[in-house]
Amino acid sequence: MSMKSEGRPTKMDSNIDMSGQQTIQTHTGNRALMVDEPLIFEIGSSDRSGVDFPEAPEAQSRLGGLDRTEAMDIPGLSEAEAVRHYTRLSRQNYAIDVGLFPLGSCTMKHNPRLNEKIARLKGFADIHPLQPVDSVQGALEVIYQLAEWLKALTGMPAVAMSPKAGAHGELCGILAIRSALEARGDAREVILVPESAHGTNPATAAFAGYKVENIPANAAGRVDLAALKARLGPDVAGVMITNPNTCGLFEPDMKAISDAVHEAGGLVYCDGANFNAIVGRVRPGDLGIDAMHINLHKTFSTPHGGGGPGSGPVVFSEALAPYAPLPFVEKDGSHFYLVEEETAEEHHAGSFGRMTAFHGQMGMFTRALTYILSHGADGLKQVAEDAVLNANYILRSLEDVLDAPFAASGPCMHEALFSDKGFSDGVTTLDLAKGMIDEGYHPMTMYFPLVVHGAMLIEPTETESKAAIDQFIGALRSVAERAKAGDEALKSAPHFAPRRRLDETQAARKPILVWKEPAPQAEAAE
Ligand SMILES: *Cc1c(COP(=O)(O)O)cnc(C)c1O
């Protein structure tokens, strides 16, 4: 069996240099400290333990004969072995705390430690959603204050705090749009989504039962306003527009788009995941938007990645506010309380229900509010300005070596977009991305947006220093030059990572999630 096909390193793999030549043999097959960590089942044994348990007393069974009679075969390790196993595993993971994380559209910014300190305070971390409201006044005040900030920053009159991710927020917004249209007896069936929208937008509309129709992008990478206007009509429930869009460009026609959609009786959803580029500078409410989610885990620096906790509050216009989901935190004098089904007052009576069982991601709310308060309104404005400056610095520093399809139409927003035009025949964006792993970087977003061939989308965020960005630019320049020169070694990169090229389709579709003792003959064959 070829180990390579599983993407596992072999002794050979870890000993080749960039030109593919075999060099030094090591006893372990490891390269320096980059350990190929075995599974815990392979290193532990069921007769070992990190703890000395007292001899169990002869127990009186209370399980009516269902007691376990055999050992559970859980691997045992000493404390030191367990700590090292998990620490070594953690070192195989790329994280924002390890280096610059250029993943476009994801806003992988530094997570200030102050946020963590505040989120760990007992009054925030050790509470339960079913506690009496009188015992969690401080937590409710955090939700209330954060909601006030989000409304002020977006210029919108209402916000639903409970959605737990960007895509979850999209669903929340679309369900509110549907409720509003149904309430006026005008259920419509089409949602228009421009080509430059994030992939979750058409997925959300389809999930909510709408027919999705595409609106083309124009040559400048923006929504084709004329094409959009031509398609509007009595069957169109609304549009979903990502602004700034996934080409890293602001949609200058946003107000005209909103006006046209409203005139045709539809509603406007804006994907606000890229809010980091405009926070403090642009209020989406001024652009006629009816609903927009904000990714707290992007713009407001709460940690994300690896499917970790997200939070996607949705701001609403006057037209949609009555349909927003419950619950809401409201204030009576200095007392905070929850508006729930039993207490929904007149202005929440149209609510479509709940997005989640409770109020949302408390830990993310605390971190986001800490971030907002530590920056203040002026500081947040500077966040957007610096994020845009950093992205433009990358765009202009690399446009001589990488094709930048929209660079001629002016500065970008928070992310720089390049294409694979000019790469040597047979070298792809994927090869370049794998080459960046050998340089010690997590790759940029690839093959997205779809409107650009072999796209590479790079978002440095405002939290990187000029020195860090220069080092990244240097690495990318060198890999891009190798891609143009047709360097063969690039096609088999990464050479220095604990895993080589994985079969990405199989890895996603047929992941092996259960460990099984390898058959003894496999060992003999090796
Ligand atoms: C990240 C992102 C989303 C989805 O947000 P999740 O929190 O990952 O669900 C939607 N749209 C855009 C533009 C994004 O960047």
Side-chain angles (χ1 to χ4, degrees), residues 57 140 188 190 264 309 336 368 411 421 446 520 523:
L140 294 184
R188 297 172 170 216
V190 177
F336 297 90
K421 198 167 142 192
M446 309 178 277
E523 238 167 73

Side-chain angles (χ1 to χ4, degrees), residues 186-479:
D186 184 20
R188 297 172 170 216
E189 56 184 34
V190 177
I191 295 270
L192 304 179
V193 180
E195 271 182 334
S196 55
H198 192 261
T200 49
N201 298 181
T204 297
F207 188 70
Y210 284 105
K211 264 169 56 192
V212 180
E213 282 184 34
N214 255 306
I215 298 295
N218 63 24
R222 269 85 172 193
V223 178
D224 185 334
L225 179 61
L228 181 118
K229 279 186 170 169
R231 179 56 191 86
L232 289 172
D235 58 336
V236 174
V239 294
M240 290 184 87
I241 294 187
T242 305
N243 192 23
N245 71 27
T246 53
C247 298
L249 303 170
F250 191 73
E251 294 286 355
D253 290 331
M254 194 65 227
K255 184 72 172 68
I257 292 170
S258 301
D259 290 347
V261 172
H262 288 150
E263 202 169 307
L267 291 153
V268 179
Y269 188 87
C270 178
D271 179 333
N274 296 332
F275 195 49
N276 203 51
I278 57 174
V279 60
R281 295 293 310 247
V282 177
R283 299 192 316 163
D286 298 337
L287 302 175
I289 285 154
D290 292 299
M292 180 181 99
H293 74 264
I294 299 166
N295 298 53
L296 298 187
H297 49 290
K298 292 179 181 172
T299 309
F300 298 113
S301 85
T302 71
H304 66 130
S311 185
V314 179
V315 286
F316 288 108
S317 65
E318 217 64 78
L320 281 188
Y323 305 97
L326 299 169
F328 276 85
V329 176
E330 293 203 348
K331 189 172 147 182
D332 180 11
S334 60
H335 185 257
F336 297 90
Y337 63 99
L338 283 170
V339 177
E340 306 200 71
E341 283 75 359
E342 313 74 49
T343 53
E345 288 151 48
E346 217 139 83
H347 57 296
H348 296 303
S351 168
F352 68 75
R354 284 184 180 237
M355 290 301 293
T356 63
F358 300 115
H359 332 319
Q361 299 279 41
M362 191 63 214
M364 299 298 109
F365 297 159
T366 319
R367 288 174 176 86
L369 184 62
T370 305
Y371 179 82
I372 288 173
L373 293 177
S374 61
H375 280 73
D378 288 346
L380 290 174
K381 183 163 160 266
Q382 180 154 7
V383 160
E385 290 168 354
D386 291 351
V388 170
L389 180 65
N390 285 355
N392 278 281
Y393 182 61
I394 288 178
L395 183 69
R396 297 305 165 193
S397 300
L398 288 165
E399 63 182 341
D400 62 319
V401 60
L402 280 170
D403 174 58
F406 301 117
S409 59
C412 61
M413 297 299 290
H414 57 304
E415 49 198 3
L417 177 60
F418 299 102
S419 86
D420 62 359
K421 198 167 142 192
F423 283 11
S424 168
D425 262 359
V427 179
T428 63
T429 290
L430 183 73
D431 299 330
L432 179 140
K434 299 291 186 192
M436 288 302 283
I437 295 177
D438 276 337
E439 298 287 346
Y441 285 103
H442 190 288
M444 63 289 283
T445 293
M446 309 178 277
Y447 300 107
F448 179 81
L450 304 176
V451 289
V452 167
H453 195 272
M456 286 162 272
L457 191 61
I458 300 169
E459 180 178 5
T461 82
E462 73 287 355
T463 59
E464 295 300 332
S465 66
K466 179 165 181 298
I469 296 176
D470 281 336
Q471 193 186 44
F472 173 78
I473 288 170
L476 183 49
R477 168 175 292 280
S478 123
V479 180

